[in-house]
Amino acid sequence: MKIRTMKLREAHTAADDSVCSILWASDAGHIVTASSSDNAICIHDASAPSNAPRFLRNHSEGVTALALSPNSTCLASGSLDHSVKLYKFPGGDFETNITRFTLPIRAVAFNKSGTILAAAGDDEGIKLVNTIDGTIARVLKGHKGSVTSLAFDPKTEYLASLDSNGTVIYWELQSGSTLHVLKAIAPNNGSDVSVMNILAWNQDGDLLAVPGLKNNVVLYDRDTAEKLFSLSGDHSQPICFLSWSPNGKYIATSGLDKQILIWDVDKKQDIERQKFSECITCMAWKPEGNALAVIDAKGKYGVWESPVPSTMKSPTEDIPGFYSKNSNGLLLFDEEEPCASGNLSDLNEDSHGDFEPIRRKRSRKHSSYDDELEEDVNDELETVPKVETHKKAFYGHKENLSGKSGSRNMMITAGAKMQEAFQPGATPAQPGKRHFLCYNMLGSITTMEHEGYSHIEIDFHDTNSGPRVSAMTDYFGFTMASLNENGSVFANPCKGDKNMSTLMYRPFSSWANNSEWSMRFEGEEVRAIALGSGWVAAITNFNSLRIFTEGGLQRYILSLDGPVVTAAGYKDELAVVTHISPPLPTDEQILEFRVFNISHGSQPLRGRLPLTPGSKLTWFGFSEEGQLSSFDSKGILRVFTSQFGGTWLPLFSASKIKKSEENYWVAGLNASKLFCIVCKSPESFPQSTPKPVLTLLDLSFPLAASDLGADCLENEFMMNNMHLSRIQRSIEERADSGLDCTLLDDEAFTVETSLDRCILRLIASCCNSDKPVRATELVKLLSLEKSVRGAIKLVTALKLPNLAERFNNILEEKLLSEKKENIALPDSKSNCNGSIKPEVASTKFFTAEINRVSETAVASRVHTFPSTSNTRARNAEEPTKDRNGNIEESKSMTPGRTADLKATGKGNGVHNAGEATKATKVDQLSSSRPSNPFAKSSSNQGSSSLLDSLKKTKKTDVKGKV
């Protein structure tokens, strides 16, 4: 065999004892290098190596470990500075410090789906971190030396780790326990950090390769950890790195003897070699073709072309299907992973239905899928038997599983029928497997039947804040549950000789010893349940809504107009969805929603629930902010808003982003994100084991393609308007109740400011696209005078004098309208205590002039210009006019906030008013919103918040005078 040499290119300046790393992106377009002597990570263009690389200098010390997520969308790095960082790839944008250790990091590795990152080093413990939220899922402890290598098996059932003492540990991810401990099977490097023991699984996950004690490579069995065979050749010193080829047929090994050997694993012999001037510390096979990237201890890297002789099978030929280019990556930066919290059992990320049965007793973990179903794309959700592949996630009752599965035409047949009741966050029961009774933004409830009874577990996503709840043995056969901060409620369908259905409530804490209670319904079956603040609700097949108190008192029984579909609770509000008629011939469900306020005994909302034609309701509930929301089987998310007298807004469309093989199983949402689990077709719901990891998707309106080419800005504009409408509605409700609105005022002001910035960017786009009419419409929507002046300045700079003149006219009209309304306001719209009625205050925009009435110590109300939106009254620092018409700087205060807006012109009177000015500001403060019944009118009985506001006002005056 001919020994060849090759030249390397310098990437890092490294010391003699440096450990350098190299990776090849999955698309073969980039090579990533790092060195323990350099704090920079280099991203090289593989097609143009002479081009300067992109440097990432976020670490303060040398980089000791690199890992790329399977689809190369995320780069992880570990360092001597004890931190593990994440970057977007290939852009290199820094994302987060995902975890830290007390000692240097030596190894990082992603699992097959990219949802879990393992990191370890001199601390001896291994951290498993959820990449979606950065929570520590588990810490594995068992090594007695620095952990130098980590490797998830491709089926993500095991994690293998190797330390500097030569000990290998097999970890079972589902339980976190050690399965096998193989002591002293690899070289003992002790404290020598220049040599890193390494191990690696083959692409089938059947063999684990470990450097041996005789300058060889030893292969161990996946399940039994038995030694199968070894590869012994011409290495004269210990092996320091090894790497499997993409198809698993070859292994590349580098040794301290400064040479690389290529091994044919089947033939158990070396087939090629390469000599180098320095020790090669890391290697990476090219994902496509026949090449091997290498880097030596001096920080020099290069690409060895054709390491496998051309007469032999290419190292990328016949790659196992589940290692395709479409392999999933990290949810945090990409798209498509199932979801979860950071609980300790979140780890067995990939199911095993696509692989060969695991040997020995572990074969029970397999589903009934064929061994060669699809590629590797997100195997986590594919443990469901094939007979249920077309069931929707919401079919949580056992009866829904009988006689309807396995047919491709099932949805067509089911379309002629009324949708059956479902529980949000529940998944169908599967024999011998744990499934969800409830999964929401707070936590999950899972159950598994065993020998006539079930074992129920309650887990919270945030284990630090959630209560500790012990597991429960279920003898009733509960099929649905609901969970909130205070407790959980369970129900089952009719069963037993008496055809009984049971409802049980279990609080998490109580001052009483016996606070758990249950109710039984003979001949009446519970179809949906919900939980709120101090109440429990159950809806039955008799179309009865039964409401109980937290203590078990039967409070109300209401008759509904049709069969229930689902229900959800949020604080005092209960939302129920029912059928109001059979489906239309076009396969459209006719549903109605009703919202009950339990504490008030009222029904504030009722109406038709919109669905996409031909779809069914798959999720229903409240957002974290309390907005009623729905999600249908066509992938449309709708949120209820008070705009236009109450209507539903489409805020997400799966068709805009989803791939053909994906389904979204919704867990919840907040003001800007949809939290869901991505399921791979044909599955429509996730498995509870391993627990999924939440995918966060941005909410956005399904906008038409605009001729402006500014779809993101238009979406931001509409989202801000929607948020502002919600805040204003909350302000009105609190004002009607006489509650303080300061925090909501602040939030509304922030949103309005953000909205103005967005409008200004849209105006710029209109000007650049020659859309002056649209630009004029937009400037009328600006909230702040400063923003209007900014728009004028913008069009002036763009040399659009006609548009600048129109914008000036709009500004003058607003100022004139404001002045007229402000003059009439104190006399005609003030009440007995000088405050302004909310309906008047809510129609203003800009700060108006302050009447000079210091002698009577009565201040005029702060005004804003009229707006097309329903805007709340707020105080803001805005330019005002003096009696001569000149613009002067006026300062008005909203408690807790001073809005700093640049005024034009000269002030000449108000700031010199002395005590009268102080009285003016006090009156402005008291009149900024409806009077609070809890506020004290006497100065010596004033609340501390009011005194604090006055002190801030005084300080502001002093600064203004200076």
Side-chain angles (χ1 to χ4, degrees):
M1 184 187 307
K2 183 179 179 180
I3 300 176
R4 300 182 298 177
T5 60
M6 60 180 288
K7 293 183 178 180
L8 301 181
R9 183 187 304 271
E10 183 174 303
H12 304 271
T13 301
D16 292 337
D17 59 350
S18 297
V19 174
C20 299
S21 307
I22 193 166
L23 298 174
W24 211 317
S26 60
D27 62 357
H30 297 87
I31 293 175
V32 187
T33 61
S35 170
S36 60
S37 297
D38 187 359
N39 69 341
I41 300 171
C42 297
I43 302 177
H44 309 266
D45 187 340
S47 61
S50 59
N51 292 348
R54 181 182 298 111
F55 293 95
L56 311 181
R57 301 185 184 276
N58 297 90
H59 285 290
S60 59
E61 296 185 51
V63 179
T64 53
L66 293 175
L68 272 172
S69 61
N71 68 349
S72 296
T73 60
C74 176
L75 174 67
S77 64
S79 169
L80 297 174
D81 64 10
H82 311 170
S83 70
V84 178
K85 302 181 186 294
L86 294 184
Y87 313 81
K88 287 185 177 180
F89 190 84
D93 297 332
F94 174 73
E95 281 295 321
T96 184
N97 289 309
I98 196 165
T99 190
R100 288 191 64 86
F101 286 71
T102 57
L103 292 173
I105 313 298
R106 301 295 175 185
V108 292
F110 283 101
N111 71 337
K112 167 111 171 358
S113 59
T115 58
I116 297 294
L117 178 69
D122 295 350
D123 281 7
E124 301 178 356
I126 303 169
K127 287 185 180 181
L128 302 181
V129 187
N130 283 323
T131 54
I132 186 64
D133 56 11
T135 57
I136 304 298
R138 183 174 284 120
V139 178
L140 308 177
K141 293 187 177 181
H143 284 285
K144 302 301 181 182
S146 297
V147 179
T148 59
S149 182
L150 299 167
F152 287 95
D153 84 280
K155 302 170 188 180
T156 315
E157 191 175 25
Y158 304 141
L159 172 71
S161 58
L162 175 59
D163 64 29
S164 58
N165 297 327
T167 298
V168 173
I169 298 181
Y170 280 45
W171 306 89
E172 186 179 43
L173 291 175
Q174 184 173 356
S175 64
S177 60
T178 56
L179 199 61
H180 303 288
V181 179
L182 308 179
K183 294 184 177 180
I185 64 170
N188 187 339
N189 298 320
S191 59
D192 185 2
V193 296
S194 64
V195 181
M196 304 282 280
N197 278 335
I198 196 78
L199 49 69
W201 295 94
N202 71 338
Q203 271 58 33
D204 290 324
D206 296 328
L207 300 174
L208 180 67
V210 182
L213 299 175
K214 300 178 179 180
N215 306 334
N216 59 348
V217 179
V218 183
L219 284 301
Y220 294 87
D221 180 75
R222 162 190 171 78
D223 295 306
T224 64
E226 296 175 353
K227 178 179 176 180
L228 299 179
F229 60 91
S230 62
L231 304 176
S232 300
D234 291 335
H235 276 301
S236 58
Q237 296 187 48
I239 291 173
C240 59
F241 197 88
L242 57 86
S243 177
W244 287 89
S245 66
N247 62 3
K249 183 172 177 58
Y250 308 103
I251 292 181
T253 60
S254 65
L256 298 179
D257 55 5
K258 301 179 182 179
Q259 66 173 333
I260 294 177
L261 297 184
I262 306 297
W263 302 82
D264 186 318
V265 178
D266 294 334
K267 296 179 180 179
K268 302 181 181 61
Q269 67 181 25
D270 55 334
I271 57 175
E272 188 62 283
R273 72 183 63 186
Q274 180 78 265
K275 279 282 190 179
F276 295 88
S277 59
E278 298 291 339
C279 174
I280 299 299
T281 62
C282 191
M283 300 174 290
W285 289 89
K286 187 176 182 179
E288 302 171 354
N290 183 6
L292 184 70
V294 301
I295 190 168
D296 66 17
K298 291 290 188 180
K300 296 181 178 180
Y301 85 102
V303 176
W304 179 7
E305 298 291 347
S306 300
V308 175
S310 58
T311 57
M312 304 184 69
K313 180 180 289 187
S314 168
T316 57
E317 184 178 345
D318 298 332
I319 297 176
F322 56 87
Y323 252 75
S324 71
K325 291 185 294 182
N326 295 327
S327 173
N328 281 349
L330 185 68
L331 292 116
L332 186 61
F333 309 128
D334 212 287
E335 67 276 8
E336 45 182 39
E337 269 313 304
C339 85
S341 59
N343 289 339
L344 297 184
S345 56
D346 287 355
L347 300 174
N348 193 11
E349 294 299 319
D350 296 10
S351 79
H352 319 293
D354 291 356
F355 311 115
E356 296 181 3
I358 300 174
R359 292 186 291 275
R360 63 187 182 89
K361 64 182 181 180
R362 300 195 59 78
S363 60
R364 62 184 172 80
K365 290 182 176 291
H366 278 281
S367 73
S368 61
Y369 275 107
D370 294 334
D371 292 333
E372 300 178 344
L373 246 184
E374 293 184 343
E375 294 106 17
D376 81 313
V377 203
N378 202 350
D379 316 283
E380 298 174 84
L381 306 176
E382 299 183 13
T383 57
V384 186
K386 187 179 276 187
V387 294
E388 297 172 27
T389 56
H390 289 270
K391 297 301 289 181
K392 290 299 174 184
F394 48 82
Y395 291 138
H397 297 290
K398 293 181 180 178
E399 62 269 25
N400 291 335
L401 300 176
S402 59
K404 297 183 181 179
S405 53
S407 172
R408 287 188 174 273
N409 296 324
M410 184 208 64
M411 293 306 295
I412 297 175
T413 304
K417 297 180 181 179
M418 297 174 69
Q419 179 178 349
E420 297 186 53
F422 72 93
Q423 188 68 26
T427 57
Q430 302 169 71
K433 293 184 178 181
R434 184 169 291 276
H435 69 280
F436 289 113
L437 293 179
C438 174
Y439 189 105
N440 59 24
M441 300 286 281
L442 182 65
S444 64
I445 302 177
T446 58
T447 184
M448 183 171 67
E449 187 176 357
H450 177 70
E451 296 181 354
Y453 64 92
S454 297
H455 182 74
I456 292 178
E457 294 181 354
I458 300 176
D459 296 311
F460 291 90
H461 302 321
D462 187 351
T463 55
N464 293 325
S465 61
R468 294 184 178 272
V469 182
S470 59
M472 179 179 76
T473 301
D474 167 28
Y475 297 98
F476 297 100
F478 293 129
T479 59
M480 67 193 85
S482 186
L483 172 71
N484 70 5
E485 298 85 351
N486 301 318
S488 55
V489 61
F490 304 85
N492 66 346
C494 291
K495 60 186 302 184
D497 297 336
K498 295 184 178 180
N499 202 27
M500 296 276 250
S501 185
T502 303
L503 176 75
M504 187 182 81
Y505 176 69
R506 188 185 185 195
F508 296 143
S509 62
S510 174
W511 59 271
N513 293 329
N514 187 20
S515 54
E516 183 178 300
W517 54 265
S518 63
M519 301 285 170
R520 295 193 177 186
F521 310 97
E522 186 172 349
E524 185 175 5
E525 183 174 85
V526 177
R527 295 290 179 85
I529 54 179
L531 195 57
S533 298
W535 56 265
V536 175
I539 303 95
T540 70
N541 61 333
F542 289 175
N543 299 343
S544 295
L545 169 59
R546 295 176 175 269
I547 299 174
F548 306 83
T549 65
E550 197 172 32
L553 176 66
Q554 302 190 54
R555 194 75 171 89
Y556 303 105
I557 303 178
L558 308 177
S559 291
L560 302 176
D561 295 340
V564 67
V565 178
T566 191
Y570 176 81
K571 296 183 179 179
D572 290 336
E573 293 187 336
L574 165 66
V576 180
V577 177
T578 60
H579 290 280
I580 54 177
S581 73
L584 297 177
T586 55
D587 197 24
E588 293 184 51
Q589 301 287 324
I590 311 301
L591 306 181
E592 178 186 60
F593 75 96
R594 301 170 70 176
V595 177
F596 302 91
N597 189 298
I598 306 301
S599 62
H600 294 165
S602 61
Q603 180 180 286
L605 294 174
R606 181 174 183 173
R608 281 280 301 274
L609 182 70
L611 291 175
T612 307
S615 70
K616 292 187 176 182
L617 185 64
T618 59
W619 181 85
F620 184 75
F622 291 88
S623 70
E624 287 190 336
E625 294 76 23
Q627 285 191 285
L628 195 61
S629 310
S630 71
F631 190 82
D632 63 33
S633 58
K634 296 291 186 181
I636 302 297
L637 173 73
R638 295 177 176 88
V639 174
F640 186 83
T641 176
S642 59
Q643 291 177 308
F644 298 98
T647 188
W648 292 83
L649 303 180
L651 284 187
F652 176 83
S653 175
S655 62
K656 297 287 186 181
I657 63 170
K658 77 177 286 187
K659 299 178 181 178
S660 58
E661 70 275 11
E662 293 179 348
N663 293 312
Y664 295 115
W665 193 79
V666 173
L669 69 152
N670 61 18
S672 61
K673 300 286 185 181
L674 175 67
F675 294 73
C676 67
I677 301 169
V678 180
C679 303
K680 296 301 168 182
S681 294
E683 307 307 333
S684 56
F685 57 86
Q687 298 300 301
S688 63
T689 304
K691 287 187 179 178
V693 181
L694 284 174
T695 298
L696 276 66
L697 302 174
D698 291 327
L699 298 183
S700 62
F701 287 92
L703 299 176
S706 171
D707 53 2
L708 278 183
D711 294 350
C712 292
L713 286 177
E714 290 180 306
N715 182 73
E716 181 184 350
F717 168 72
M718 294 185 67
M719 291 292 290
N720 281 333
N721 271 312
M722 185 192 69
H723 294 330
L724 187 59
S725 175
R726 174 182 59 82
I727 297 169
Q728 290 164 352
R729 174 69 179 269
S730 300
I731 290 174
E732 292 173 2
E733 291 174 353
R734 291 184 65 84
D736 290 341
S737 301
L739 301 176
D740 181 65
C741 305
T742 301
L743 295 178
L744 287 174
D745 280 344
D746 294 344
E747 186 179 355
F749 182 79
T750 301
V751 174
E752 284 184 347
T753 304
S754 177
L755 180 59
D756 271 16
R757 285 196 294 266
C758 177
I759 292 174
L760 286 173
R761 292 197 295 270
L762 279 171
I763 291 172
S765 296
C766 290
C767 293
N768 292 329
S769 302
D770 194 23
K771 305 291 181 184
V773 175
R774 202 175 308 176
T776 305
E777 293 171 341
L778 285 166
V779 80
K780 294 178 181 179
L781 301 177
L782 290 170
S783 303
L784 305 173
E785 180 182 354
K786 183 178 180 180
S787 301
V788 180
R789 296 189 183 279
I792 296 171
K793 183 178 180 180
L794 171 67
V795 295
T796 302
L798 293 174
K799 298 181 180 180
L800 300 172
N802 291 337
L803 208 53
E805 184 179 357
R806 285 185 175 274
F807 287 7
N808 268 308
N809 292 338
I810 291 171
L811 176 60
E812 291 174 1
E813 290 173 4
K814 286 177 177 288
L815 290 170
L816 182 61
S817 175
E818 170 207 19
K819 183 176 181 180
K820 289 180 179 178
E821 294 188 12
N822 186 65
I823 292 173
L825 188 61
D827 297 329
S828 60
K829 300 296 183 181
S830 60
N831 57 24
C832 59
N833 63 1
S835 62
I836 305 303
K837 294 183 179 180
E839 62 270 19
V840 176
S842 65
T843 62
K844 306 301 175 184
F845 256 66
F846 289 106
T847 305
E849 68 171 344
I850 299 176
N851 293 331
R852 302 182 64 181
V853 287
S854 57
E855 291 78 10
T856 59
V858 177
S860 64
R861 177 69 172 89
V862 175
H863 289 284
T864 53
F865 279 137
S867 168
T868 55
S869 64
N870 183 21
T871 307
R872 90 235 185 281
R874 70 176 182 277
N875 291 333
E877 180 181 281
E878 285 289 351
T880 58
K881 295 184 178 182
D882 61 16
R883 297 178 65 182
N884 299 322
N886 297 321
I887 296 176
E888 63 178 2
E889 184 177 5
S890 137
K891 294 186 181 288
S892 58
M893 239 356 236
T894 296
R897 182 192 72 233
T898 301
D900 298 324
L901 301 175
K902 186 177 179 181
T904 58
K906 298 180 179 180
N908 64 352
V910 174
H911 290 297
N912 297 326
E915 294 301 323
T917 303
K918 296 180 182 178
T920 295
K921 294 187 177 182
V922 172
D923 285 339
Q924 287 176 350
L925 186 64
S926 65
S927 61
S928 61
R929 57 180 62 89
S931 58
N932 188 339
F934 300 101
K936 307 295 183 179
S937 58
S938 175
S939 60
N940 58 359
Q941 294 178 339
S943 66
S944 60
S945 60
L946 180 59
L947 292 174
D948 291 341
S949 299
L950 292 176
K951 291 175 182 178
K952 292 178 182 178
T953 305
K954 186 173 181 180
K955 291 179 181 179
T956 305
D957 287 342
V958 172
K959 292 180 181 179
K961 293 177 181 179
V962 174

